[in-house]
Amino acid sequence: MLRTHNCGELKSSDINKMVTLAGWVQKKRDKGFIIWVDIRDRYGITQLIFDEKRSTKKLYDKAKNLSREDVVQVSGKVIERESKNIDIQTGRVELLVEKLNILNKSEIPPFTIEDNTDGGEELRMEYRYLDIRRAEIRENLIFRHDVTMKVRNYLSKKGFIDIETPYLIKSTPEGARDFIVPSRMNQGEFYALPQSPQTFKQLLMVGGIDRYFQIVKCFRDEDLRADRQPEFTQIDCEMSFVNQDDVLNEFEGLISHLLLKLKNIKLNNFPRMTYDEAMKNYGSDKPDIRFEMKFGDLTSISKGKGFNVFDSEESIIGFSIKNGNSISRKDIDGWTNWVKQPQIGAKGLVWVRYNDNKTLKSSVDKFYSHDELIDWVKITHAEPGDLIFILSGDYKKTLKQLGDLRLAIAEKLSLRDPNIFAPLWVTDFPLLEWDNELKRFHAMHHPFTSPKEEDIELLKTAPEKVKANAYDLVLNGNEIGGGSIRIHNSNLQKQIFNLLGFTDKEARKQFGFLMGAFKYGAPPHGGIAFGLDRLVAILGGKETIRDFIAFPKNNSGRDVMIDSPSSIIKPQLDELGLSIVKK
Ligand code: ASP
């Protein structure tokens, strides 16, 4: 062994012991007659001391030449520190070095490997292995490990079996584009990397596995939005002989367990809300319910009072902000500009102040009487001291704009407290979504999701009205998981493929294996997948998932450390039958 102890473990009871440590030079303080060197490893930092009187000249000179990030092995005696640092575990002792062995010299690192590093994001991504030496990233990776171990143990105890499914598969439409892998042996043919193991986990249910899970990489070639990774990890699960409630209850158990074990938070309540309610009340299918600001529909009581803007619009919707009356006129103007920015796209913002003395002041006083404004107050559940914001326009657009405004205000008022955890199941999603560009339906969740039993008839007459046995788990305004009860009947599956625009032949070509399997006694089944990266980030109280991934890609989907994607050489292309013929 190159060491007897690690750099995080020596304490007062070790004084006078002879020990050997190994680690990286974090810092050197040369006082002229005494040199202190901090060495670091995964476990902590230990202070070394070299001094002109007690060390040999050779040793002292060697210490003088140490520089940051050199890898060293040191042996010596543990002694009591004169000025103790009680903030760190090893802060009461130091090591009087007798032997210094430089295991490897380091070049000066491109940024300081300290909590407050001077390295910018791109630079740290390029030298990720150095960034991982920093406590923050290291702790994040250890935290991720804790989460995944807890997930594995929990699910395994509950009878879920961890089974690997293939990465080289056939393209499955799940809403995103596939990453494609050319086949050398079958030129002109391609594998696809899985967007999720969806069809395989369903086939495992047909295979009688009953309860499956896998912590698995998924790949989606999507246009990159901030904080999305082209490859990401899911906790993927599937169960047989279950209905929707069974799945929700089972996984409430998992999330409660994680919150209890990792955050010491006891959650008894996972409220459930339908998709329609979530949209109507919060303008979002993943509402953050840590705060109120529930919408009120003012359409019917606000039209026909001479205010042209409202009279000509489909919907008039508002919400009240608790104690919002303290928001200044200037800030209200700021919010008005905010909703008008192109990304939001509202035409304007109407406001009402509900004063402490119950008088009202609004931007539309000319058109609405006190009593009429009192009706708005009631519908938006405002109380004296609150401020009401109202938007108008097309129903769906207005909901979305108001939903965005609600979140932005909550953010500004610091209502999105990362130490509060408010989970929410959103259920009864629409089965299909109309794609205006392609002029056809696509599956809102995925094509294997079952319609609600009572809506099956509507598939023929009004497919857009059909609700699905689909659910999302939302945590603090983030979708952390989603799943559904699946179709297990091959005729119904065929009908859905047809609705999604597949001819029988195309459906057979692409999904024949699944429809075939359904003919051999497929059990009723359903499941869910959680986004592990996001879940870990939220549990860790942070915003960016990149910080919890050892080797992430940047915002343009590049790995700047290994420089990928990159071109390949012509012989490689030839071998794959992919050579681009230049005209
Ligand atoms: N495969 C689905 C997804 O990746 C999850 C599920 O339905 O279980 O979103």
Side-chain angles (χ1 to χ4, degrees):
M1 285 281 249
L2 294 187
R3 60 187 176 194
T4 57
H5 294 75
N6 65 50
C7 296
E9 71 177 310
L10 295 177
K11 43 190 176 317
S12 303
S13 54
D14 295 308
I15 287 172
N16 289 329
K17 274 192 195 154
M18 294 301 292
V19 302
T20 301
L21 302 179
W24 287 264
V25 172
Q26 164 105 9
K27 208 163 54 191
K28 187 180 74 185
R29 270 165 304 141
D30 190 342
K31 286 265 175 195
F33 53 95
I34 229 166
I35 302 170
W36 280 289
V37 176
D38 285 349
I39 61 165
R40 159 189 17 92
D41 65 9
R42 190 184 112 191
Y43 310 93
I45 288 178
T46 300
Q47 180 167 293
L48 313 179
I49 180 166
F50 299 86
D51 101 38
E52 259 181 347
K53 279 197 222 119
R54 287 178 285 180
S55 311
T56 63
K57 172 142 182 11
K58 202 168 145 220
L59 176 66
Y60 192 79
D61 288 346
K62 209 168 170 188
K64 235 180 167 35
N65 286 325
L66 283 175
S67 53
R68 278 196 290 141
E69 302 310 315
D70 287 345
V71 187
V72 297
Q73 180 191 37
V74 285
S75 303
K77 194 169 165 189
V78 182
I79 59 173
E80 188 175 357
R81 237 200 243 194
E82 238 166 64
S83 57
K84 300 191 178 34
N85 176 358
I86 51 163
D87 292 338
I88 65 168
Q89 242 182 331
T90 59
R92 292 169 195 282
V93 296
E94 59 193 355
L95 186 69
L96 180 60
V97 178
E98 291 176 14
K99 212 168 131 210
L100 166 62
N101 183 8
I102 298 174
L103 298 172
N104 212 345
K105 285 293 289 176
S106 171
E107 289 189 9
I108 301 290
F111 51 86
T112 54
I113 298 178
E114 272 160 28
D115 290 353
N116 281 322
T117 175
D118 56 359
E121 173 99 33
E122 262 314 90
L123 194 64
R124 287 189 289 123
M125 292 270 265
E126 191 182 336
Y127 296 90
R128 185 65 168 177
Y129 45 90
L130 295 180
D131 209 18
I132 292 173
R133 283 188 200 163
R134 293 199 312 123
E136 186 191 341
I137 304 292
R138 184 182 64 233
E139 291 309 317
N140 287 350
L141 295 179
I142 293 172
F143 182 69
R144 184 184 177 113
H145 161 84
D146 283 346
V147 176
T148 55
M149 289 309 285
K150 293 215 161 40
V151 169
R152 280 187 204 287
N153 289 334
Y154 182 90
L155 291 175
S156 175
K157 272 203 192 111
K158 294 266 177 183
F160 288 83
I161 301 176
D162 182 356
I163 298 180
E164 286 171 82
T165 51
Y167 280 157
L168 294 175
I169 65 161
K170 189 184 173 82
S171 185
T172 341
E174 278 205 57
R177 242 173 260 118
D178 285 322
F179 278 102
I180 297 299
V181 182
S183 162
R184 179 183 57 82
M185 306 251 268
N186 308 276
Q187 292 204 353
E189 296 190 316
F190 300 85
Y191 299 102
L193 299 179
Q195 293 183 34
S196 85
Q198 185 59 38
T199 49
F200 290 98
K201 65 174 171 174
Q202 292 191 239
L203 292 172
L204 287 172
M205 296 304 107
V206 181
I209 287 298
D210 201 69
R211 292 179 156 222
Y212 140 95
F213 87 101
Q214 184 181 190
I215 296 182
V216 62
K217 272 289 175 73
C218 301
F219 307 84
R220 296 187 189 171
D221 188 5
E222 289 177 296
D223 292 338
L224 291 154
R225 280 189 254 149
D227 211 27
R228 279 263 181 120
Q229 292 281 316
E231 58 176 299
F232 57 97
T233 307
Q234 285 191 342
I235 307 167
D236 192 44
C237 310
E238 197 74 6
M239 306 162 80
S240 288
F241 304 112
V242 286
N243 59 30
Q244 177 166 310
D245 271 353
D246 299 323
V247 179
L248 303 197
N249 292 336
E250 188 74 45
F251 290 97
E252 273 181 31
L254 171 68
I255 300 297
S256 308
H257 175 77
L258 293 178
L259 280 164
L260 185 65
K261 295 289 167 193
L262 295 160
K263 311 290 297 181
N264 204 18
I265 289 174
K266 213 174 166 140
L267 279 187
N268 316 315
N269 190 13
F270 279 60
R272 297 177 188 184
M273 188 184 288
T274 66
Y275 169 86
D276 285 345
E277 282 172 317
M279 294 308 291
K280 181 168 150 251
N281 291 326
Y282 302 101
S284 164
D285 61 0
K286 44 177 193 303
D288 189 340
I289 55 162
R290 281 174 294 183
F291 46 91
E292 267 294 324
M293 298 202 249
K294 205 162 154 178
F295 298 175
D297 195 322
L298 311 172
T299 314
S300 64
I301 57 162
S302 310
K303 283 195 175 204
K305 311 283 176 185
F307 183 44
N308 279 339
V309 175
F310 280 3
D311 288 350
S312 59
E313 297 291 10
E314 184 184 9
S315 286
I316 303 154
I317 310 169
F319 63 77
S320 61
I321 305 162
K322 210 159 197 35
N323 301 321
N325 209 0
S326 56
I327 296 178
S328 70
R329 186 55 214 270
K330 195 167 143 246
D331 284 346
I332 294 180
D333 290 345
W335 287 115
T336 308
N337 290 331
W338 190 90
V339 298
K340 283 189 187 162
Q341 62 179 319
Q343 297 94 304
I344 305 296
K347 285 182 214 129
L349 177 68
V350 168
W351 54 264
V352 183
R353 288 187 182 285
Y354 191 18
N355 298 317
D356 287 331
N357 60 8
K358 299 205 175 172
T359 58
L360 289 150
K361 171 92 194 92
S362 81
S363 56
V364 287
D365 278 348
K366 257 203 286 184
F367 306 100
Y368 296 93
S369 67
H370 176 86
D371 287 351
E372 282 163 342
L373 292 182
I374 282 291
D375 287 338
W376 290 10
V377 160
K378 284 187 196 140
I379 291 177
T380 57
H381 305 287
E383 285 170 8
D386 292 357
L387 173 71
I388 305 171
F389 275 163
I390 300 153
L391 294 180
S392 63
D394 168 83
Y395 178 62
K396 281 195 176 154
K397 267 194 201 150
T398 306
L399 284 179
K400 167 93 181 51
Q401 292 163 349
L402 209 57
D404 290 345
L405 177 65
R406 176 179 176 270
L407 276 190
I409 289 176
E411 190 76 57
K412 178 87 188 202
L413 300 179
S414 305
L415 300 176
R416 307 194 72 185
D417 182 346
N419 296 313
I420 295 176
F421 290 87
L424 169 75
W425 286 110
V426 178
T427 62
D428 299 17
F429 278 81
L431 183 72
L432 304 162
E433 225 174 359
W434 181 252
D435 187 324
N436 233 340
E437 261 169 47
L438 297 176
K439 298 278 177 262
R440 63 172 181 82
F441 285 112
H442 61 81
M444 191 138 174
H445 186 51
H446 53 55
F448 318 107
T449 295
S450 64
K452 294 247 173 239
E453 186 84 35
E454 60 273 23
D455 288 354
I456 288 191
E457 275 308 303
L458 286 175
L459 283 171
K460 291 195 198 103
T461 51
E464 71 285 354
K465 294 215 177 95
V466 175
K467 293 282 193 274
N469 290 311
Y471 34 79
D472 276 356
L473 183 60
V474 175
L475 186 58
N476 296 357
N478 299 282
E479 181 210 318
I480 59 158
S484 60
I485 299 297
R486 326 298 184 190
I487 297 167
H488 62 277
N489 169 302
S490 69
N491 286 331
L492 181 57
Q493 186 66 74
K494 200 169 114 206
Q495 192 183 355
I496 299 292
F497 284 141
N498 290 152
L499 262 175
L500 296 173
F502 291 89
T503 62
D504 281 357
K505 200 172 151 211
E506 283 165 347
R508 229 177 301 122
K509 183 159 184 275
Q510 191 137 30
F511 299 109
F513 65 97
L514 189 70
M515 289 192 292
F518 285 175
K519 290 184 184 149
Y520 293 97
H525 60 287
I528 193 164
F530 295 94
L532 177 72
D533 310 287
R534 172 81 48 212
L535 179 63
V536 171
I538 296 173
L539 291 173
K542 307 233 173 82
E543 294 278 312
T544 42
I545 64 172
R546 262 209 299 274
D547 293 345
F548 292 86
I549 298 173
F551 298 104
K553 311 243 179 317
N554 73 5
N555 273 343
S556 3
R558 293 201 72 82
D559 183 324
V560 291
M561 181 184 71
I562 61 171
D563 187 25
S564 161
S566 57
S567 51
I568 53 176
I569 53 172
K570 178 134 188 322
Q572 240 176 329
L573 284 170
D574 290 344
E575 207 169 41
L576 294 166
L578 285 179
S579 302
I580 300 154
V581 186
K582 280 203 183 130
K583 286 203 185 123

